[in-house]
Amino acid sequence: MPAPVQRRLILEHIDEPGYTNDLACYQRHGGYAVLRQAVTRKPEELIDEVKKSGLRGRGGAGFPCGVKWSLVDRKSGKPIYLIVNADESEPGTFKDRYIIHQDPHQLIEGIMISCFANNVKQAYIYIRGEMPHGARILEKAIAEARAANLVGPNILGTGYGCEIFVHRGAGAYICGEETGLIESLEGKRANPRIKPPYFPAVLGLYQCPTIVNNVETLCHVKHITAMGGAEYAKIGTPGNTGTRIYCVSGHVQRPGYYEFECGRITLGQLLNEVCGGPLPGRTFKAVIPGGSSAKILRFGERFKGKRKVGADMVDYDWGVEDVPMDFDSLGMIGTMGGSGGVIVMDDSVSMVEALANINAFYSHESCGQCTPCREGSLWMKRITTRMVHGQARTEDAALLKGVADQIPGRTICAFGEACSWPTQSFLAKFGDEFKGYATAKSEVPERTHTLI
Amino acid sequence: MNLKPETLARIDEVITHYPVKRSATLPLLHLIHEDIGHIPEEAITWIAGKLSLQPINVYEVVTFYPMFRRHPIGRRHIKVCRTLSCALMGGYKTCAAFEKEFNTKLGATSPDGEVTVDFVECLASCGTAPVVMIDDELHEKVDGAKAKQLSDQIRAEAAKRT
Ligand SMILES: Cc1cc2nc3c(=O)[nH]c(=O)nc-3n(C[C@H](O)[C@H](O)[C@H](O)COP(=O)(O)O)c2cc1C
Ligand code: SF4
Ligand code: FES
């Protein structure tokens, strides 16, 4: 089956010749018309449209946006904050970067609609420190919008006021985790908070109700407001509505960002047709479908079970290529859609070396609060690095599994899962390669790629 | 510590962005870092005074975030992405190319004081791997040839300065 055509909602103007990131260009393309219309409606109506749309968060967890918004404590009398998560730090993910650099007003319009809907008077954009130009572009765009009364004390003459400030991170991955982000915004170390409270919507920034949403999620809000929640819900598949941006990197002919209706494209169509297949003379070996924390898939494995299609339960029997790229299907086969970052590895890659690379990332980024995460991520890194650079032993596979299995469920934040899933899944799918690594390494001459 | 007048003005402005002054810790660190290139001891006590905090509150933040340096480095900072997608496309080789070009080692400053080469984690540009940031600029698809070209450019700019 040929791949469907891209459906560019969020990326509509990205890479369009002549499209610039200033207010005038955005308004020539109909920009801020949706905000103008939104401020004439009741805020509850706007929240309702988002609920009806079925929009799920694009930052990683896929949590329904409308549900999150309905958890906000509106009775406390405290101010409500909105934080835009522009930390984009999950390895393999690079979509928010292009929205921020090339179409910042789309994000600002989405933010202002979301703020109006939730009675937010102050929003912060938390952008990773490694995007200094992105931060400047956003600051300039906000200033332009403020001068046009689209942001500020009296938006479009309605008497409703809301400010946006840009806040830069400084190179720590854990600032992407929403409670770590809030601590960081409060001027502290980004140590994620102990739950309960389960949602920042109840107690977040400065102990006030706080909404944290990803950049892409807030852009979708603009389109939902424009077309109506019911209409938006027709895009994509039931339970996985709207479009999704897939960021493909690694060993394919045409890496890049592609936007499709969620669940209407399979992993095989995405990699083989859209991205042009493997590099010359190579075959696909493995793929991580939702950012480096997602469990790895091995080409050749099959997934069988029953799934809901409409009202019926039907059997499925999928190869890796057949899996529809949506939250639920990827969850069903034991991995996740996560942040949309698809990392592809071909047959030139040693799985032990790839895991050693990933483990180095997680041990560098653990915030260090929880012993299982701090020590476990370090041990996993030490073992895999020793395997690559020193003496690999047959029993290392079991040792690694023993460490990884003791982390998830025993930590303050989901980084515990994020750092153990790669090791667990690499071992489950490529256990033989780990056991045989010592011999294989001595037989293989110089490798084409060094990963660690 | 001698901060430029515009840095001081921006510091006073940015503090007004937050209902709680402590939130300005990261912004102030960034502004000082940009102005003088690193975070000296006196910057920590200065920020603490400015935001009515204890120096330890600022110190613990400085040590948590990888972007802040405690000591001066080379005039240019070459940051090579080390994470998986870049490594798959040859990021480690790119790093080795820069080390060779400037006769230095990872984490160290070149003998002429011109560059410091470091590894950093994923820069959110994995689709154009391998990527390198030189100071504030992102460079994409940096293979051996491009590393050479960027190195030549850095040397040419250095020569112009003297
Ligand atoms: C370790 C870790 C890192 C995360 N990094 C990011 C990130 O870089 N960007 C992001 O939007 N969400 C990230 N998240 C998810 C956020 O915690 C949060 O769920 C998200 O920002 C909510 O927005 P959404 O509902 O719009 O997806 C991360 C989560 C964890 C556990
Ligand atoms: S799980 Fe890891 S990153 Fe999360 S709070 Fe614990 S130590 Fe920090
Ligand atoms: S892995 Fe290098 S930019 Fe993401």
Side-chain angles (χ1 to χ4, degrees):
Chain A
M1 215 182 20
V5 288
Q6 281 199 67
R7 173 90 188 255
R8 285 192 163 218
L9 219 56
I10 308 296
L11 299 180
E12 186 183 356
H13 299 297
I14 303 295
D15 297 329
E16 183 180 305
Y19 191 86
T20 48
N21 60 19
D22 53 288
L23 179 64
C25 178
Y26 187 65
Q27 289 192 313
R28 272 200 307 282
H29 288 80
Y32 289 108
V34 188
L35 176 63
R36 279 173 209 283
Q37 186 239 339
V39 293
T40 66
R41 297 175 65 183
K42 285 209 188 72
E44 308 83 69
E45 261 177 55
L46 300 173
I47 297 180
D48 226 45
E49 297 291 355
V50 172
K51 278 190 198 153
K52 269 190 255 163
S53 76
L55 174 66
R56 295 172 70 169
R58 302 302 199 245
F63 192 82
C65 185
V67 175
K68 186 184 282 187
W69 289 9
S70 63
L71 295 171
V72 172
D73 180 357
R74 292 169 209 280
K75 298 202 189 78
S76 66
K78 297 185 205 168
I80 301 167
Y81 290 104
L82 182 130
I83 303 175
V84 185
N85 192 338
D87 197 56
E88 188 146 77
S89 49
E90 175 74 14
T93 318
F94 49 94
K95 56 193 176 68
D96 301 340
R97 164 186 286 282
Y98 297 96
I99 299 169
I100 291 165
H101 280 84
Q102 296 188 32
D103 207 2
H105 284 287
Q106 179 183 194
L107 173 59
I108 294 169
E109 187 169 10
I111 296 171
M112 292 315 294
I113 295 166
S114 305
C115 286
F116 179 76
N118 289 289
N119 195 26
V120 170
K121 307 273 166 57
Q122 178 65 61
Y124 291 100
I125 304 178
Y126 190 104
I127 184 169
R128 57 180 308 175
E130 298 90 333
M131 290 186 184
H133 289 308
R136 282 191 276 272
I137 289 165
L138 285 170
E139 273 167 357
K140 178 175 158 266
I142 293 166
E144 284 178 325
R146 190 179 289 121
N149 272 331
L150 299 159
V151 172
N154 181 14
I155 290 159
L156 295 166
T158 56
Y160 165 71
C162 181
E163 280 295 340
I164 311 177
F165 291 123
V166 177
H167 188 94
R168 293 182 61 199
Y173 166 69
I174 198 60
C175 295
E177 197 279 339
E178 56 190 12
T179 62
L181 186 158
I182 289 171
E183 289 285 302
S184 178
L185 189 46
E186 290 186 358
K188 304 172 191 159
R189 293 184 146 215
N191 289 339
R193 291 181 178 171
I194 294 174
K195 296 159 189 71
Y198 288 98
F199 291 100
V202 180
L203 287 175
L205 184 63
Y206 312 124
Q207 298 299 311
C208 297
T210 303
I211 296 168
V212 184
N213 272 131
N214 171 261
V215 167
E216 186 192 340
T217 310
L218 291 167
C219 291
H220 281 284
V221 170
K222 176 199 147 170
H223 299 278
I224 289 164
T225 311
M227 66 176 84
E231 203 51 37
Y232 178 94
K234 291 182 192 155
I235 306 172
T237 51
N240 295 270
T241 56
T243 60
R244 182 108 225 241
I245 303 174
Y246 305 106
C247 313
V248 186
S249 64
H251 292 151
V252 290
Q253 305 246 9
R254 288 189 294 275
Y257 36 90
Y258 303 98
E259 185 175 355
F260 287 94
E261 293 198 27
C262 193
R264 295 232 180 259
I265 184 164
T266 64
L267 188 49
Q269 289 170 327
L270 179 66
L271 299 186
N272 286 312
E273 293 170 50
V274 180
C275 297
L279 298 172
R282 294 287 174 197
T283 51
F284 288 145
K285 181 172 181 179
V287 56
I288 301 173
S292 74
S293 311
K295 292 192 173 178
I296 196 164
L297 303 174
R298 177 182 186 149
F299 282 86
E301 66 177 321
R302 291 204 81 79
F303 312 96
K304 288 180 194 163
K306 278 192 187 303
R307 66 180 186 131
K308 236 177 130 179
V309 175
D312 307 321
M313 293 301 284
V314 298
D315 289 311
Y316 66 88
D317 178 2
W318 289 331
V320 170
E321 292 86 346
D322 307 320
V323 183
M325 289 296 282
D326 61 67
F327 293 105
D328 294 336
S329 302
L330 288 162
M332 231 153 43
I333 62 161
T335 181
M336 62 176 184
S339 58
V342 182
I343 308 173
V344 188
M345 284 163 264
D346 68 23
D347 56 344
S348 70
V349 179
S350 151
M351 287 299 126
V352 179
E353 291 168 25
L355 183 64
N357 180 287
I358 294 177
N359 285 349
F361 174 82
Y362 287 103
S363 88
H364 183 257
E365 300 297 342
S366 167
C367 87
Q369 282 191 103
C370 323
T371 311
C373 170
R374 181 187 63 242
E375 299 302 317
S377 62
L378 180 64
W379 292 355
M380 292 190 295
K381 174 200 151 165
R382 288 218 179 122
I383 297 166
T384 42
T385 311
R386 169 174 56 68
M387 289 178 77
V388 175
H389 288 306
Q391 295 291 310
R393 308 174 196 134
T394 338
E395 60 273 23
D396 282 336
L399 183 60
L400 274 170
K401 184 171 183 309
V403 177
D405 288 351
Q406 295 183 65
I407 305 171
R410 296 187 169 95
T411 59
I412 292 172
C413 86
F415 184 107
E417 279 73 28
C419 77
S420 53
W421 283 345
T423 295
Q424 288 178 331
S425 62
F426 272 65
L427 284 164
K429 310 257 165 108
F430 297 95
D432 291 350
E433 207 174 314
F434 280 75
K435 291 204 182 91
Y437 185 70
T439 3
K441 192 171 152 70
S442 61
E443 283 163 9
V444 178
E446 208 41 51
R447 287 199 172 274
T448 33
H449 306 285
T450 322
L451 298 182
I452 185 76
Chain B
M1 196 175 71
N2 249 332
L3 296 175
K4 296 190 188 93
E6 53 274 30
T7 306
L8 289 167
R10 288 179 69 193
I11 283 174
D12 287 330
E13 199 272 330
V14 83
I15 294 173
T16 67
H17 291 186
Y18 308 95
V20 178
K21 275 205 270 180
R22 186 174 184 174
S23 278
T25 307
L26 272 186
L28 260 54
L29 285 167
H30 272 301
L31 286 166
I32 293 176
H33 202 251
E34 273 161 33
D35 189 331
I36 54 184
H38 69 287
I39 303 292
E41 203 63 34
E42 53 180 328
I44 292 175
T45 39
W46 189 87
I47 291 174
K50 190 87 186 163
L51 301 179
S52 317
L53 301 169
Q54 294 304 315
I56 182 67
N57 301 138
V58 181
Y59 183 74
E60 65 177 1
V61 170
V62 175
T63 54
F64 186 86
Y65 295 90
M67 272 176 79
F68 298 124
R69 298 182 296 266
R70 295 302 315 281
H71 302 285
I73 56 160
R75 274 182 290 273
R76 311 293 298 270
H77 196 189
I78 302 180
K79 292 159 280 188
V80 183
C81 175
R82 188 212 65 80
T83 315
L84 188 58
S85 303
C86 284
L88 287 169
M89 301 308 284
Y92 275 71
K93 279 191 201 157
T94 301
C95 185
F98 281 115
E99 289 175 302
K100 188 156 169 273
E101 285 290 332
F102 292 100
N103 183 26
T104 184
K105 281 272 162 274
L106 198 59
T109 300
S110 60
D112 57 1
E114 190 58 30
V115 305
T116 302
V117 180
D118 273 319
F119 264 146
V120 290
E121 300 296 346
C122 182
L123 291 169
S125 187
C126 327
T128 54
V131 299
V132 176
M133 265 186 99
I134 301 179
D135 302 327
D136 277 0
E137 298 305 319
L138 180 78
H139 300 274
E140 302 172 297
K141 298 187 185 169
V142 185
D143 55 10
K146 190 150 178 197
K148 172 94 182 53
Q149 182 206 325
L150 290 167
S151 303
D152 288 341
Q153 204 178 318
I154 290 174
R155 278 188 290 263
E157 282 160 16
K160 227 186 275 165
R161 234 190 357 253
T162 48

